């Protein structure tokens, strides 16, 4: 790092401290319900999910390039990590996160941004739509076939989110919903499944270590397979987040350096036993609109989340599972790209076939990377067939 770069880096910590600290706390509150909910998709303790998210935010404030961008466990990485934990255990997830970080680091050094530009918009839309469907499907078991009270609380969750999102702009609607309904169900004790019924919420301070599976050849290659898929998801979602942040801030940054920072951060998170993260589009937009402009905001979010691990551990156990599931359903619905039908109208046959293939492969294989790679190859085959130049 040159002297000029050092000065620029220090400047990225300065300015409007009160505004950035407040934005960081608000962002942490917005991430709380998401981090807890994603923990159940990946079959880990909620406290470990919060720790992973908080540690990632602290690290990305140091190593990231894009200011005010939020990084944390995402729906795509959680969906891929879930089967890995179910089959092999949480240690394999930590190893996959370390390997994912290494792959991301290599991506950044190899200028992955040039390759990402080759992925057509049609495939990216198919990726996001399939991701929304997968996330939606994973939450059905927490709502249907349990009790009448579950249906009632689920309906109330959607109603409160709808009303609060339109009337209260400062506090995130999912957080308001979780606080209100957790308190209400604690008072009246309806027949529901709660977080403490599904997971051990005890948290022990992790120490940095290399998973033993790193040195077992068969375990290494199992984790590597998942790590590659997680890295593809991470790099696509981080790139989408970067594009959105460039647009609203009117200040483009080096995407390759951001991927390198993501890689380093994920390696360290994995060494602490946490699981993988990527850029988060919706949360980053919220963070910027709340006034986050420097690295201080991101660091504040991380520290606040890590404090919550110790302070809120027992309270998290009182949250009804149906509330978390309903919150994730609203997230899954927001994941769908609203431009889909308008986009397909521009070239119904080509775009429809490419998007359809991408989504079908992802839904059949439960592997987002396969869908993206196959969809991109199919797009270029069709482009040659129709003898049409340019990316749609």
């Amino acid at each position: 790092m040159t002297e000029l770069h050092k000065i620029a880096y220090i400047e990225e910590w300065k300015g409007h401290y009160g505004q950035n600290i407040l934005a960081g706390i608000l962002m942490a509150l917005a991430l709380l319900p998401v981090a807890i909910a994603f923990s159940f998709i990946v079959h880990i303790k909620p406290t470990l999910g919060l720790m992973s998210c908080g540690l990632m935010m602290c690290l990305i404030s140091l190593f990231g390039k894009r200011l005010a961008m939020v990084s944390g466990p995402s729906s795509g990485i959680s969906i891929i990590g879930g089967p890995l934990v179910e089959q092999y255990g949480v240690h394999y997830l930590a190893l996959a996160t370390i390997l994912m970080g290494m792959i991301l680091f290599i991506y950044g050094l190899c200028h992955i941004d040039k390759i990402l530009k080759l992925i057509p918009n049609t495939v990216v839309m198919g990726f996001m739509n399939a991701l929304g469907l997968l996330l939606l499907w994973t939450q059905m078991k927490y709502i249907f076939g349990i009790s009448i009270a579950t249906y009632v609380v689920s309906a109330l969750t959607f109603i409160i989110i709808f009303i609060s999102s339109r009337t209260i702009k400062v506090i995130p609607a999912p957080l308001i919903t979780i606080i209100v309904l957790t308190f209400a169900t604690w008072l009246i004790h309806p027949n529901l499944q709660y977080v403490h019924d599904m997971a051990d919420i005890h948290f022990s301070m992790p120490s940095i270590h290399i998973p033993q599976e790193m040195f077992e050849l068969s375990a290494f290659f199992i984790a590597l397979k998942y790590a590659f898929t997680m890295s593809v998801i991470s790099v696509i979602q981080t790139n989408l987040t970067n594009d959105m942040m460039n647009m609203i801030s009117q200040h483009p940054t080096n995407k390759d350096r951001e991927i390198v920072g993501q890689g380093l951060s994920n390696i360290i998170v994995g060494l602490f036993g946490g699981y993988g993260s990527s850029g988060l589009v919706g949360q980053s937009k919220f963070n910027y609109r709340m006034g986050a402009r420097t690295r201080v905001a991101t660091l504040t979010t991380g520290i606040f989340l890590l404090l919550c691990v110790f302070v809120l551990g027992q309270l998290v156990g009182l949250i009804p599972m149906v509330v978390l599931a309903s919150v994730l359903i609203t997230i899954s619905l927001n994941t769908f790209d609203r431009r889909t039908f308008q986009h397909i109208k521009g070239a119904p046959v080509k775009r429809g076939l490419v998007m359809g293939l991408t989504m079908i492969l992802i839904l059949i294989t439960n592997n987002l990377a396969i869908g993206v790679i196959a969809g991109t190859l199919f797009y270029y085959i069709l482009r040659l067939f129709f003898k049409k130049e340019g990316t749609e």
Side-chain angles (χ1 to χ4, degrees):
M1 185 182 284
T2 65
E3 193 64 32
L4 192 62
H5 285 139
K6 287 179 182 177
I7 294 170
Y9 181 79
I10 292 170
E11 287 298 316
E12 289 171 348
W13 290 90
K14 295 180 179 179
H16 305 288
Y17 294 106
Q19 171 186 311
N20 282 279
I21 290 170
L22 178 60
I25 293 171
L26 290 171
M27 190 64 251
L29 293 173
L31 283 172
L32 266 173
V34 178
I36 294 168
F38 283 161
S39 301
F40 285 96
I41 296 178
V42 82
H43 307 295
I44 61 173
K45 297 177 183 179
T47 46
L48 182 55
L50 280 173
M51 187 276 288
S52 300
C53 192
L55 186 56
M56 183 67 186
M57 288 297 288
C58 288
L59 292 167
I60 210 66
S61 73
L62 301 173
F63 302 130
K65 179 61 180 171
R66 170 82 264 177
L67 299 184
M69 191 171 91
V70 176
S71 296
S74 68
S75 53
I77 291 174
S78 300
I79 287 168
I80 296 301
L84 177 61
V85 175
E86 271 192 314
Q87 272 191 279
Y88 302 103
V90 73
H91 296 298
Y92 278 75
L93 181 64
L95 175 56
T97 298
I98 294 169
L99 295 175
M100 165 191 161
M102 292 178 177
I103 295 169
L104 287 172
F105 188 83
I106 294 168
Y107 285 164
L109 295 181
C110 295
H111 303 292
I112 189 69
D113 183 42
K114 293 179 181 177
I115 297 173
L116 290 172
K117 289 176 182 176
L118 298 175
I119 301 176
N121 290 335
T122 309
V123 171
V124 174
M125 288 182 183
F127 166 86
M128 295 303 293
N129 293 338
L131 180 57
L133 286 171
L134 287 173
L135 181 57
L136 182 68
W137 180 249
T138 61
Q139 299 311 299
M140 293 297 103
K141 61 184 177 182
Y142 298 118
I143 295 177
F144 294 100
I146 299 173
S147 66
I148 298 297
T150 302
Y151 298 127
V152 173
V153 173
S154 178
L156 287 172
T157 302
F158 293 123
I159 291 168
I160 295 172
I161 288 176
F162 179 81
I163 294 172
S164 58
S165 64
R166 281 157 178 76
T167 56
I168 304 172
K169 299 300 181 183
V170 177
I171 304 174
L175 183 66
I176 294 171
T177 306
I178 287 174
I179 291 172
V180 170
L181 290 178
T182 299
F183 181 70
T185 54
W186 176 74
L187 283 177
I188 62 178
H189 304 291
N191 181 21
L192 301 172
Q193 286 182 338
Y194 296 88
V195 167
H196 61 69
D197 297 324
M198 309 296 292
D200 177 14
I201 55 174
H202 174 72
F203 181 75
S204 54
M205 192 66 183
S207 57
I208 194 164
H209 69 284
I210 299 173
Q212 187 63 38
E213 290 79 7
M214 175 76 87
F215 308 104
E216 299 171 10
L217 199 61
S218 60
F220 178 86
F221 281 109
I222 289 169
L224 183 63
K225 180 180 73 173
Y226 283 88
F228 173 71
T229 303
M230 289 162 66
S231 72
V232 172
I233 295 167
S234 179
V235 81
I236 290 173
Q237 291 186 321
T238 300
N239 187 62
L240 288 173
T241 308
N242 245 320
D243 286 342
M244 182 274 299
M245 291 296 289
N246 288 348
M247 182 179 67
I248 65 174
S249 69
Q250 296 297 304
H251 182 67
T253 56
N254 189 315
K255 293 181 181 178
D256 293 322
R257 286 181 62 185
E258 178 61 38
I259 297 300
V260 168
Q262 293 274 340
L264 285 171
S265 301
N266 274 294
I267 290 170
I268 297 171
V269 169
L271 289 172
F272 274 99
Y275 83 105
S277 296
S278 69
L280 302 173
V281 177
Q283 288 82 353
S284 296
K285 184 185 290 185
F286 176 83
N287 197 35
Y288 190 84
R289 287 179 176 172
M290 288 299 105
R293 296 293 185 273
T294 70
R295 294 180 184 273
V296 170
T298 316
L299 181 62
T300 302
T301 299
I303 292 172
F304 192 91
L305 284 170
L306 291 176
L307 289 174
C308 287
V309 173
F310 300 99
V311 175
L312 300 180
Q314 295 303 314
L315 292 176
V316 167
L318 300 175
I319 301 172
M321 285 300 302
V322 64
V323 175
L324 292 178
S326 301
V327 165
L328 282 181
I329 287 173
T330 64
I331 292 173
S332 73
L333 296 175
N334 287 327
T335 301
F336 291 103
D337 197 313
R338 293 175 176 80
R339 302 169 298 164
T340 297
F341 295 110
Q342 193 64 36
H343 180 75
I344 290 175
K345 281 181 182 178
V349 176
K350 286 173 287 183
R351 293 179 182 177
L353 285 172
V354 171
M355 191 179 296
L357 177 70
T358 302
M359 292 180 65
I360 289 168
L361 283 175
I362 289 173
L363 295 173
I364 290 175
T365 64
N366 204 37
N367 190 317
L368 293 141
I370 288 176
V372 170
I373 294 168
T376 301
L377 290 173
F378 185 56
Y379 167 82
Y380 285 104
I381 291 169
L382 280 182
R383 197 173 79 164
L384 284 173
F385 180 78
F386 286 100
K387 296 180 181 179
K388 181 178 179 180
E389 296 182 356
T391 302
E392 294 179 332

